[in-house]
Amino acid sequence: MRTPSQPFSSWSALLCALGVLFSLFSLGVAVKENDFKKCDQSGFCKRNRAYADKAIAQGSSWQAPYKISPTEATFKDGVFHATILKTVDDKGTTVELPLTVSFHKSGTARVNVDEKQRQEKNIELRHNSQARKERYNEAEKWAIVGGTTVDADAKVSYSGDSGIKIQYGPNSAFEADIKFNPYSIEFKRDGSAQLKLNDRGLMNLEHWRPKVEPPPAEEKKEGEEGTEKKEEPVVEPEPVGEDESTWWDESFGGNTDSKPRGPESVALDITFFGYDHVYGIPEHAGPLSLKETRGGDGAYTEPYRLYNSDVFEYILDSPMTLYGAIPLMQAHRKDSTVAVFWLSAAETWIDITKAKESSNPLSLGKGPKTNTHTHWISEAGVMDLFVFLGPTPQDINKAYGELTGTTAMPQEFSVGYHQCRWNYVSDDDVKEVDRKMDRHQIPYDVIWLDIEYTEEKKYFTWDSDMFKDPISMGQQLDAHGRQLVVIIDPHIKNTGSYSVIDELKANGLAVKNKEGNDFDGWCWPGSSMWVDCFSPSAVKWWKSLFKYSKFKGTMENTWLWNDMNEPSVFNGPEVTMPKDNLHYGSWEHRDVHNINGMTFHNATYEALKSRKKGELRRPFVLTRSFYSGSQRVGAMWTGDNQANWEHLGASIPMILNQGVSGFPFAGADVGGFFGNPEAELQSRWYQAGAFYPFFRGHAHIDSRRREPYLLAEPYRDIVTSALRLRYSLMPSWYTAFHQAHQDGSPILRPMYWTHPSSEGGFGIDNQFFVGSTGILVKPVVEQGKTSEDVYIPDDEVYYNYFTYQKLSTVSGKTLTVDAPIESIPILMRGGHIFPRRDTPRRSVKLMRFDDYTLVVVVSKDGTAEGTLYADDGDSFEYQKGEYIHRTFKLEGSKLTSTDAEGRDAKAIKEGDWLKNMRNVAIDKIIVVGAPVSWADKKEVQLEAGGKQSTVKLEYFKGDANRGPFAIVGRVGARVGADWSIDFA
C-alpha cells in the first residue's frame, strides 16, 4: 500500500538526513534494497548456494549423498513408495527420508519427500518452543482442490536394483525414470527426456540434529588473574564442515529469529532439457522470460526470491521479492511446454542458469541445445512438487487449474473501470466525483475508499466527521448502477473501547508470538494485532463482522479490498512478521508465510458470500498478497508502483506472468501510485489499462488529484475513448473470464502461449492477445512514441481494429503501426468472431440488457469462429444452468449461432435473468474483410425460430483510410437462440 512517514526528532537528525539525501545518487533504491535480504544474508539460501558451488566444482567426482534402498521400494495402484537414505558423515550414518511419488489421472506426477525423525516428532525443540515438531505438510489444504486422483493404470515398464521406470498419463505417453543411487527422477514424454530432478546432485534436505553447546570457558583460580603471559593474537583456522553460524538463530535489521527446530531447509535442482525459456514464479518486476541468476551478461546475480513482502516503490528488472508468490515455473521450446509446481509456503529462492549441450558433430544442421538448470531452495517444510509434461501451454494451465482451482467467475461490474485514490476525504467528496464522472460522460463502475474512511484506523467503523452518512453515499452510487469498495486490512488496532480488538483477544483468535502470547506489532493504526485466518474459529468470527447489521453503513453494493496482508508489520523483520511467531495448529510463521495473505483473502471472500439471511452472491475482494489458489477468491494488483514510463512498461510482463501462472485477474495502478504523471503518461497508461483484466486508477495521498475529468483536452477525450473502448468490449472480456474459469487459460495471452511454434515470439512480453478474440494489442509505453513495431506470429491475415484496413504482414516479422497519442495499436487476426455492446453507458450494470454487436473478422480461407458467454453477473445461478453460451461460425456462405455446449434450450429452467434475456438480440453484425462479391448485395436471409426473413446488408468498399467491410442489421435474432444467416 505505502510506507509510514516518521517525523525527525531534532534539527540535527533532519540535517543528517539531508546530508545523506544529497550524498546518495539514488537514495530510494538503496533504502528499499537494504530493507530486504540478499541470498548471502539469508542463512539457508547462502548454505545451499555454497553446497551447489561445491558440488558443481567437483564435477563428475561429486558423490550426491542421497540414495534409495531397493529392498524398501514398492509400486502399487499408481503410487511409488521408498525411503531415501541420506549419508550424513564419513562413518556412513544415514537419515531416513520417506519418498512418495504419485501419478495422477490428470497427467501430473507428485514427488513428496519428508523426514522420518521429524515426522515421528522425535526431536527436541529449543527455547521451550510451543511450535510443531514436524515439517509443515498442510500447504495442500489451502492450495490444492483437485487433480490428484491416482492413475491406477500407471504401470512399471522396468524394475531392477538400479531403479524403476513407470509409465503413466494419456496413452501411457509419460514416463518417470527413478534412479536409486544417486537418487534422481527423469521425466520423459514419448520417450524423450523433458526434465530431471536432482540432475546435478544439488538436492539437500537439512536433517534435524541437536545443538551441541560449546564447553564453558575454564574459570581462573584465585590468584591467577594478571599472571598470564601476553600472547600474540591467534589466527582462527578456516571452519571445517558445514557453516553452522545461522543454524540456531539468525539476525537481520535488529531482529533475531530463534529457530527452535534448527536448520531445516530443502533444496533441489531441476533441469529442463532443451528448453531455453522459462516463465512464471511471480511476483517479480522483470521480464516474462526469466533471466539467469548467477551473473554474466544481462543476468542477475541474485536468485529469484519468493517471500511475500511490503515492498513500496519497488525497483524494476529485479529478482527481488514482491507481494505474492506462485511457485509455478513453465519451460517452453518450439511446440513443447513442461512445468514444475513447488508446493512450499516458506521463503523460497530459485537460481536459474542455462548451458549449451555438447554438440554432436554427426548431427548435421543442428546446433547444440540449451538446457535450463534451476535450483529451488526453501527454508522449511516437506519437499513437495508436481511435474507437468504438457505438451502445450494450454495443457499446463488446464492441469494446474485442476490442481489449484481456476479464477472465480467475477462480479461483472468488477471487469469495468475502478476509480480510487488514497483517499477520498468524505462522503460528499465521493458523491461529487460520481457526479463529475457523469457530467463528463466518463464510464466507471466502482469508487474506492482507502484507510482514512475509518474512525482512527479502526476497521468496521466510519469517520463520524467526514463520513457522516455512508448509506446516502451508497444509495447515490447504487442509483447510478455503481459500487463502493472499502479497505479492510488484517491488522486490528490494539486500543480500548473497540469491540473488534476486544473480541479478537477474548476468543484467542490473534497470531501468537513465540511465547504463545498475542503478537503485538506496528502498522497503520499503531499498536496492532493480526487475525489468524488459519484458524476455522477466526474465519467464522471474521465472517460475522461483515453482516450488514454489524458493519453499519455498508450496503449490497459495498465490496472489499484486502491490503497489507503479506503481512506488513512496520517494526518487524523485513517489514513483516517474525518467523518464530505461532499460528493455529502451532505452526511457525516461517512454515506458512507465503500462504498467510491468501488465508485472509479467503476469509473475506467467504464473509461476502452472504451478509444477510437468504443472500448468496459472488464476492469481489482485491488482494495484494497471494499464493497458488488465490485465483479462486478474487483479483490482485501489482502494488505500489510509480508514475513513470518505466513502471508503465513493466506492468505488461508482470500481468502476463500472472496470467500464465494461473492468476489472470490482475492489474496495475493506472497512472502510477507514487508521483504525478504528466498528461501524456496518464493517457498512455489508460490506453494500456483498458486492457488490464483488473482496471483501476489509483494514487498516493500526496499525489495531485487525477480523476480523468481533470485532464485538459485533448487528453481527457483520449482517456474517455480508452474507457469507452473497454466498455464496448465488455462481452468479450466477460467471455474471456469465463474461459479462464473453465480451463485456467490466461485472459491476456503472450505470444509463446498462443503461438508455441513461433520462436521469434518466445521472448516477447509487451504485446498480447485478449482471450480467444484474435484482438492483438501492443500498448505504447515510451514517451513521445508515435508508432509501434508489432510482432506477427503467423501467416494469417490481420486488420486494423479501427479502420478495418488489411495489413501487409509477414509471419515472424514485425509490422510498424502508426500510434499517435489518440490511438492504441490494436490488430484483429482473421478467423475470429467477438461480441461487443456499442451503446455507451455509464456502468456495466446499465448495460445488462443491451443488444449485442458481432464483429466477424474473415480469415484467409473465408472462415471465422468465436464465442459469447453471459450470465447475470452477480449470483451463482450460472452453476444451475442460468447462462447463455453461444458459438458463432462463418463457414462457406453461412453464419450460424448455436449453443456452445449442445444444450437443449427447452430443457433449461429459466430464471428471471434468462427471461429478461429473451428480449436481448443481436443488433448488427460487422463483417471485416467482407468479400467483394458482396458489393451488390442489399439483403441476406435470416433463419431464426423456424422462421425466415430478410435483413439489410450494407457493403462499404475500401479506400485509402479504410478497408472493405459489411454491416448486417438490424438482425433482431435472440442472442440466446439458434439462428443462421445465408450470404449466398
Side-chain angles (χ1 to χ4, degrees), residues 7-308:
F8 290 99
S9 58
S10 66
W11 277 104
S12 60
L14 177 59
L15 291 172
C16 177
L18 288 172
V20 172
L21 177 64
F22 287 114
S23 66
L24 290 179
F25 184 77
S26 181
L27 174 68
V29 170
V31 170
K32 285 184 283 293
E33 286 199 280
N34 289 340
D35 283 344
F36 300 92
K37 289 183 180 180
K38 300 290 180 66
C39 180
D40 64 2
Q41 296 169 307
S42 176
F44 76 94
C45 183
K46 182 179 180 180
R47 293 195 301 272
N48 279 286
R49 254 193 167 188
Y51 184 91
D53 289 343
K54 177 182 176 182
I56 292 169
Q58 292 188 22
S60 59
S61 65
W62 168 248
Q63 295 293 316
Y66 297 87
K67 64 181 180 180
I68 290 174
S69 172
T71 58
E72 297 186 24
T74 64
F75 177 75
K76 185 180 180 181
D77 297 331
V79 180
F80 174 77
H81 289 288
T83 298
I84 299 174
L85 300 177
K86 176 188 178 183
T87 303
V88 298
D89 57 29
D90 293 338
K91 299 175 184 178
T93 307
T94 60
V95 170
E96 295 184 32
L97 308 175
L99 166 69
T100 304
V101 185
S102 306
F103 302 94
H104 305 139
K105 287 184 177 179
S106 62
T108 61
R110 183 179 190 175
V111 180
N112 183 286
V113 183
D114 207 333
E115 180 183 353
K116 186 177 181 181
Q117 191 168 4
R118 295 186 199 258
Q119 200 177 50
E120 295 177 347
K121 305 180 186 179
N122 186 24
I123 68 170
E124 297 175 7
L125 301 181
R126 301 173 65 239
H127 315 302
N128 297 313
S129 173
Q130 301 172 31
R132 291 279 282 269
K133 294 182 176 182
E134 310 98 302
R135 288 182 173 273
Y136 183 65
N137 57 5
E138 296 184 358
E140 67 178 290
K141 289 185 178 180
W142 297 97
I144 307 301
V145 295
T148 58
T149 303
V150 172
D151 180 6
D153 295 328
K155 58 190 178 184
V156 175
S157 60
Y158 167 83
S159 181
D161 288 343
S162 63
I164 186 171
K165 297 181 180 181
I166 300 167
Q167 294 179 337
Y168 67 102
N171 302 315
S172 297
F174 302 161
E175 182 179 81
D177 184 355
I178 305 173
K179 291 288 193 296
F180 289 169
N181 188 12
Y183 159 74
S184 68
I185 309 180
E186 185 173 79
F187 288 91
K188 300 178 180 180
R189 186 182 65 232
D190 296 325
S192 176
Q194 304 296 320
L195 63 93
K196 187 175 182 180
L197 313 184
N198 207 29
D199 177 45
R200 296 179 293 162
L202 308 187
M203 175 174 168
N204 185 32
L205 189 145
E206 293 184 320
H207 62 282
W208 183 81
R209 75 289 313 266
K211 179 172 172 38
V212 179
E213 301 291 348
E218 186 177 336
E219 294 185 12
K220 293 183 175 65
K221 296 179 181 179
E222 187 176 353
E224 290 183 344
E225 294 86 350
T227 63
E228 60 274 282
K229 295 179 181 179
K230 187 174 182 180
E231 298 179 359
E232 294 297 321
V234 177
V235 178
E236 293 291 336
E238 289 293 319
V240 178
E242 296 181 84
D243 176 11
E244 300 183 22
S245 61
T246 54
W247 278 11
W248 309 107
D249 56 58
E250 187 170 352
S251 297
F252 181 80
N255 293 275
T256 299
D257 175 12
S258 63
K259 297 192 175 182
R261 297 187 301 237
E264 54 181 324
S265 72
V266 295
L268 182 69
D269 65 289
I270 304 172
T271 296
F272 298 97
F273 298 117
Y275 290 90
D276 198 13
H277 291 272
V278 286
Y279 311 98
I281 59 169
E283 183 183 26
H284 302 96
L288 177 65
S289 181
L290 302 174
K291 290 187 175 184
E292 295 183 69
T293 61
R294 283 291 203 152
D297 187 26
Y300 300 138
T301 57
E302 286 289 309
Y304 283 93
R305 189 185 187 201
L306 296 176
Y307 188 63
N308 297 355

Side-chain angles (χ1 to χ4, degrees), residues 458-648:
K458 292 183 288 190
Y459 298 115
F460 305 98
T461 69
W462 298 86
D463 184 311
S464 57
D465 291 325
M466 305 308 292
F467 289 88
K468 297 178 181 178
D469 191 0
I471 291 294
S472 173
M473 173 180 63
Q475 287 173 338
Q476 176 179 312
L477 294 172
D478 188 54
H480 296 167
R482 296 195 174 115
Q483 318 291 319
L484 176 71
V485 167
V486 298
I487 196 168
I488 301 277
D489 292 344
H491 49 260
I492 307 300
K493 186 170 185 174
N494 189 15
T495 187
S497 303
Y498 179 32
S499 62
V500 177
I501 192 66
D502 293 342
E503 292 173 17
L504 181 74
K505 291 193 283 190
N507 293 300
L509 304 177
V511 176
K512 311 301 181 187
N513 61 21
K514 62 185 178 183
E515 285 84 25
N517 302 316
D518 290 343
F519 170 71
D520 188 294
W522 204 259
C523 207
W524 293 118
S527 174
S528 303
M529 292 182 177
W530 276 257
V531 57
D532 184 5
C533 291
F534 287 91
S535 164
S537 296
V539 173
K540 182 179 180 181
W541 168 74
W542 189 250
K543 289 164 64 175
S544 73
L545 300 179
F546 290 85
K547 301 293 184 184
Y548 300 122
S549 58
K550 190 154 188 177
F551 190 0
K552 302 290 187 181
T554 60
M555 298 171 49
E556 285 83 351
N557 65 335
T558 307
W559 309 92
L560 265 294
W561 171 16
N562 288 162
D563 198 356
M564 315 296 283
N565 52 332
E566 293 76 25
S568 177
V569 182
F570 293 158
N571 61 337
E574 298 194 88
V575 202
T576 193
M577 196 169 277
K579 288 182 174 180
D580 49 12
N581 273 6
L582 296 172
H583 289 268
Y584 173 78
S586 298
W587 294 111
E588 281 195 294
H589 185 71
R590 86 180 71 252
D591 297 317
V592 301
H593 175 85
N594 284 344
I595 288 180
N596 182 83
M598 180 170 73
T599 67
F600 183 65
H601 189 200
N602 176 72
T604 306
Y605 174 88
E606 292 297 326
L608 294 195
K609 278 185 179 178
S610 182
R611 289 177 276 178
K612 67 179 180 181
K613 189 175 181 179
E615 180 183 72
L616 182 61
R617 301 171 67 200
R618 297 178 222 171
F620 172 74
V621 190
L622 179 74
T623 185
R624 188 173 71 177
S625 182
F626 55 86
Y627 188 74
S628 299
S630 291
Q631 68 273 10
R632 303 189 302 262
V633 292
M636 62 74 64
W637 92 107
T638 61
D640 298 345
N641 60 358
Q642 300 180 50
N644 60 46
W645 290 94
E646 292 77 15
H647 272 260
L648 166 57

Side-chain angles (χ1 to χ4, degrees), residues 243-465:
D243 176 11
E244 300 183 22
S245 61
T246 54
W247 278 11
W248 309 107
D249 56 58
E250 187 170 352
S251 297
F252 181 80
N255 293 275
T256 299
D257 175 12
S258 63
K259 297 192 175 182
R261 297 187 301 237
E264 54 181 324
S265 72
V266 295
L268 182 69
D269 65 289
I270 304 172
T271 296
F272 298 97
F273 298 117
Y275 290 90
D276 198 13
H277 291 272
V278 286
Y279 311 98
I281 59 169
E283 183 183 26
H284 302 96
L288 177 65
S289 181
L290 302 174
K291 290 187 175 184
E292 295 183 69
T293 61
R294 283 291 203 152
D297 187 26
Y300 300 138
T301 57
E302 286 289 309
Y304 283 93
R305 189 185 187 201
L306 296 176
Y307 188 63
N308 297 355
S309 301
D310 182 1
V311 186
F312 68 100
E313 288 187 298
Y314 51 82
I315 58 175
L316 304 180
D317 194 13
S318 169
M320 184 179 180
T321 190
L322 288 178
Y323 311 96
I326 299 178
L328 172 71
M329 180 182 285
Q330 297 188 38
H332 183 73
R333 65 177 183 233
K334 186 176 181 179
D335 292 327
S336 181
T337 314
V338 296
V340 168
F341 173 42
W342 180 265
L343 182 57
S344 173
E347 178 185 355
T348 299
W349 302 77
I350 303 134
D351 263 320
I352 301 171
T353 58
K354 299 177 183 181
K356 296 286 186 183
E357 288 182 347
S358 299
S359 58
N360 181 354
L362 299 179
S363 57
L364 299 176
K366 291 185 178 180
K369 292 182 178 179
T370 297
N371 294 335
T372 294
H373 301 291
T374 64
H375 187 202
W376 301 69
I377 309 167
S378 292
E379 183 178 17
V382 297
M383 184 183 293
D384 198 2
L385 66 146
F386 293 79
V387 174
F388 308 79
L389 294 181
T392 69
Q394 292 85 343
D395 292 327
I396 301 296
N397 282 110
K398 183 177 181 181
Y400 178 75
E402 289 180 36
L403 199 65
T404 66
T406 58
T407 196
M409 277 306 295
Q411 279 280 346
E412 192 171 13
F413 75 77
S414 67
V415 189
Y417 173 63
H418 301 247
Q419 180 63 48
C420 183
R421 73 172 283 109
W422 178 28
N423 204 83
Y424 289 115
V425 299
S426 67
D427 46 16
D428 285 337
D429 190 10
V430 170
K431 291 177 181 178
E432 184 63 12
V433 171
D434 181 61
R435 283 192 289 264
K436 285 183 176 178
M437 293 289 274
D438 278 349
R439 191 176 306 151
H440 291 88
Q441 298 182 337
I442 300 173
Y444 88 103
D445 265 84
V446 194
I447 194 163
W448 292 54
L449 293 178
D450 213 317
I451 196 169
E452 311 301 336
Y453 79 91
T454 62
E455 187 78 47
E456 299 176 346
K457 297 181 174 62
K458 292 183 288 190
Y459 298 115
F460 305 98
T461 69
W462 298 86
D463 184 311
S464 57
D465 291 325

